[in-house]
Amino acid sequence: MIRFAVVGTNWITRQFVDAAHETGKMKLTAVYSRTLEQAQAFSSDYPVAHLFTSLEQLAQSDDVDAVYIASPNALHCQQTLLFLQHQKHVICEKPLASNSREVEAMIACARDNQQVLFEAFKTASLPNFLILQQSLPKVGKLRKVVFNYCQYSSRYSRYLAGENPNTFNPAWSNGSIMDIGFYCLATAIALWGEPYAVSATASLLASGVDGHGTVVMDYGDFDVTLLHSKISQSEIPSEIQGEEGSLVIEQIAECQGIRFVPRGAKPQDLSQPQHINPLLYEAEAFVRLVENNEVNHPGLTTSRSTAKLLTEIRHQTGVVFPADELPHPVV
């Protein structure tokens, strides 16, 4: 049984805790929050033995084997380094960090301390993603790919009203490409690796983050276009086009449906039912890595490449985070 703690007490944390318990191999034993009241409120649904308002004390606890981090993006790196250095495995919400420099430091720290570091990129562990991966030969020679994730943020109205929610605040390393655009980018990298080149455009809000944008990834004989937005809504699925047909993906982040459409023939539904909690599969993947002590697992290659391209995309679009100006993380 992996005894784990959570850092952050928002809705995604609750979803992960439910998924972790569903594996039958993880047990929540500690909760961290900035205030004791928030930690107590969260633990009322998940009775735990330990509540912390100090990250250092949590890191030193002998009752915790692993930590799930769901704090703001800008805090991921230093919190992860702290726990890895105290011999705790870490599953950290995506994006793994603010930039590629931080991600490299985190991966090095995991290796040096022989602890598992796992980016909570749920898509790559989903059964329908694996079906998508296995079905790529059906389309023949690849030509065009469009991954689309545009979702009007519930916090955008607050931003327009003059508030400064974390979602649109560069201080927390946020914005469209770092949030939902991440799923499009990381999915492409998980399928095909790094492109030969990347070109990005975006519309920046007055706060300094991107509200929406477009990324084109050059893979030689085919290209991948990423459409991402937090200030508009789209109902269009994603598509992988080849000379023999296309694969159509409903809701790219969760791969809710996969259809193969042969050229000139009837569509074929390739989907299989997935658990109502999509985080179950990433929790199971994390458990396998910890049980096998697989520190140098393949997921780190995807995380490293995704961070590299996120950093380049922001460079091209002019999105700068305070974390970009900080000195190299101390490992």
Side-chain angles (χ1 to χ4, degrees):
M1 186 67 67
I2 299 171
R3 304 167 301 168
F4 76 102
V6 295
V7 173
T9 53
N10 52 33
W11 67 271
I12 194 68
T13 307
R14 293 181 182 277
Q15 191 175 19
F16 179 79
V17 171
D18 291 341
H21 286 164
E22 185 84 9
T23 69
K25 296 185 175 182
M26 297 183 72
K27 178 177 175 56
L28 181 66
T29 57
V31 174
Y32 164 85
S33 187
R34 288 171 297 174
T35 68
L36 184 60
E37 291 75 20
Q38 285 180 307
Q40 290 171 332
F42 188 89
S43 64
S44 65
D45 293 327
Y46 306 100
V48 297
H50 308 285
L51 302 178
F52 292 93
T53 56
S54 164
L55 288 169
E56 288 74 16
Q57 289 179 7
L58 170 57
Q60 293 168 13
S61 173
D62 293 328
D63 299 305
V64 173
D65 306 308
V67 181
Y68 169 75
I69 296 177
S71 54
N73 299 341
L75 304 178
H76 287 181
C77 179
Q78 290 302 328
Q79 290 177 352
T80 295
L81 294 178
L82 172 66
F83 294 123
L84 291 173
Q85 289 165 345
H86 283 83
Q87 306 303 301
K88 306 287 190 274
H89 303 292
V90 173
I91 175 170
C92 182
E93 265 305 327
K94 61 82 193 167
L96 197 54
S98 300
N99 52 50
S100 59
R101 180 167 50 87
E102 290 187 343
V103 167
E104 291 297 336
M106 294 158 75
I107 292 174
C109 187
R111 181 192 62 236
D112 293 345
N113 288 278
Q114 286 298 290
Q115 300 298 302
V116 171
L117 171 63
F118 184 77
E119 184 171 31
F121 166 42
K122 62 183 177 183
T123 310
S125 299
L126 296 171
N128 280 336
F129 175 82
L130 301 180
I131 289 174
L132 176 67
Q133 200 169 35
Q134 295 162 5
S135 301
L136 288 176
K138 291 179 179 292
V139 304
K141 192 170 183 60
L142 282 174
R143 290 306 187 188
K144 308 292 282 187
V145 177
V146 178
F147 285 165
N148 174 46
Y149 195 174
C150 300
Q151 180 175 288
Y152 190 93
S153 172
S154 59
R155 296 177 178 84
Y156 188 46
S157 58
R158 289 172 49 196
Y159 173 81
L160 293 175
E163 297 182 35
N164 194 22
N166 288 359
T167 307
F168 300 107
N169 187 342
W172 300 113
S173 303
N174 271 331
S176 183
I177 191 62
M178 295 290 285
D179 187 4
I180 58 180
F182 173 96
Y183 288 106
C184 300
L185 179 65
T187 298
I189 292 171
L191 290 173
W192 300 295
E194 288 188 29
Y196 298 123
V198 62
S199 176
T201 58
S203 175
L204 271 56
L205 303 177
S207 65
V209 304
D210 54 331
H212 74 90
T214 302
V215 178
V216 179
M217 305 168 73
D218 175 14
Y219 284 92
D221 283 346
F222 71 99
D223 55 60
V224 178
T225 300
L226 314 179
L227 308 177
H228 63 93
S229 176
K230 291 185 69 65
I231 58 176
S232 62
Q233 186 76 25
S234 174
E235 307 302 328
I236 299 173
S238 296
E239 185 179 38
I240 298 172
Q241 302 174 19
E243 293 184 357
E244 302 302 322
S246 63
L247 288 161
V248 180
I249 308 108
E250 298 293 339
Q251 299 197 4
I252 189 68
E254 298 185 357
C255 293
Q256 290 188 347
I258 308 292
R259 285 182 291 122
F260 172 53
V261 186
R263 179 168 45 79
K266 293 182 179 179
Q268 304 169 13
D269 187 0
L270 306 179
S271 315
Q272 70 177 56
Q274 298 184 146
H275 195 278
I276 191 170
N277 186 340
L279 303 193
L280 172 63
Y281 306 105
E282 71 177 30
E284 290 176 336
F286 179 66
V287 167
R288 287 193 296 270
L289 294 175
V290 172
E291 287 180 338
N292 298 325
N293 196 33
E294 197 172 344
V295 174
N296 297 309
H297 59 90
L300 292 177
T301 299
T302 299
S303 295
R304 174 182 275 122
S305 295
T306 302
K308 175 182 173 181
L309 287 179
L310 283 173
T311 304
E312 173 60 23
I313 288 165
R314 289 195 298 106
H315 175 73
Q316 291 187 19
T317 57
V319 176
V320 180
F321 298 146
D324 298 330
E325 311 299 327
L326 294 175
H328 195 281
V330 177
V331 179

